[in-house]
Amino acid sequence: MYDVVLLVEQELTEPDAKRVVELHQDMPEPVKYHVLVPCHNAEAGVEASISALGTADLYGPGLVDQREELAEAQKAIDSEARDCTGRSVQRLRDLGQQAEGGISHDRPIDALTATVEKVGGQEVIILTRPHIVAEFFHLDWTNSARRHLGVPVLHLLEHEEQKTRK
């Protein structure tokens, strides 16, 4: 079995799933895809934003009152991430591939590293929108993954869905 870990920024489109599968069509052994979707931590995001603004002293205690709302927001974020993962996995399965997936609240590269180790990943594909500034400074997921992993890392840009114009 040849295990490929896919770190995706958003749901795999049908063209993206086809493109990924085509990369491995001539493999002599079966391929299994492991889809990983990073999931935003709502509470940490709010706290980081407040700290970055230097207003934690003013608003930090107010977060205690917001815990319930943040928990509800996190449930919605997690649900959407699980749905995104499920649809991405199903697109790969619809193409006759073995696939599984999951979400992670860890930093994307930490989650990717853990997944590669857990499944014995032999290749990583990172699918993102263009991030020009991060790529220029080599701070993007792909460059980070190349520094942390000892497996081939391929970066693909997400294929934009064609929208019908009236």
Side-chain angles (χ1 to χ4, degrees):
M1 181 71 60
Y2 187 78
D3 291 281
V4 178
V5 180
L6 293 168
L7 176 62
V8 299
E9 191 169 28
Q10 58 192 25
E11 182 177 326
L12 275 178
T13 62
E14 189 175 322
D16 285 334
K18 287 179 181 176
R19 191 165 49 148
V20 166
V21 169
E22 286 172 359
L23 291 170
H24 303 101
Q25 65 187 5
D26 295 328
M27 291 294 293
E29 58 188 307
V31 176
K32 183 172 186 179
Y33 296 99
H34 306 270
V35 180
L36 177 62
V37 176
C39 190
H40 180 71
N41 182 322
E43 185 173 331
V46 169
E47 288 177 352
S49 296
I50 289 172
S51 294
L53 294 172
T55 57
D57 293 338
L58 297 174
Y59 297 106
L63 285 179
V64 172
D65 299 333
Q66 303 298 319
R67 298 278 188 235
E68 191 171 312
E69 288 87 356
L70 288 171
E72 287 301 315
Q74 190 65 55
K75 284 181 190 174
I77 291 168
D78 290 353
S79 177
E80 178 55 33
R82 279 191 291 276
D83 291 347
C84 166
T85 303
R87 290 187 298 267
S88 297
V89 166
Q90 190 58 51
R91 284 201 175 93
L92 291 165
R93 288 179 179 165
D94 289 346
L95 295 170
Q97 303 302 305
Q98 293 184 53
E100 62 181 25
I103 67 171
S104 175
H105 295 100
D106 296 335
R107 287 183 44 236
I109 297 305
D110 293 342
L112 177 63
T113 301
T115 302
V116 168
E117 289 173 5
K118 177 183 171 189
V119 303
Q122 294 151 288
E123 180 181 331
V124 168
I125 297 175
I126 298 175
L127 214 71
T128 66
R129 298 180 308 267
H131 296 283
I132 305 303
V133 174
E135 290 170 17
F136 179 78
F137 289 107
H138 302 285
L139 300 172
D140 59 309
W141 290 350
T142 305
N143 281 292
S144 293
R146 287 181 179 140
R147 286 191 298 271
H148 289 87
L149 299 169
V151 299
V153 177
L154 174 65
H155 181 212
L156 299 177
L157 295 178
E158 293 171 342
H159 187 267
E160 300 240 355
E161 289 284 334
Q162 299 256 334
K163 295 183 180 168
T164 307
R165 294 184 185 213
K166 295 183 179 182

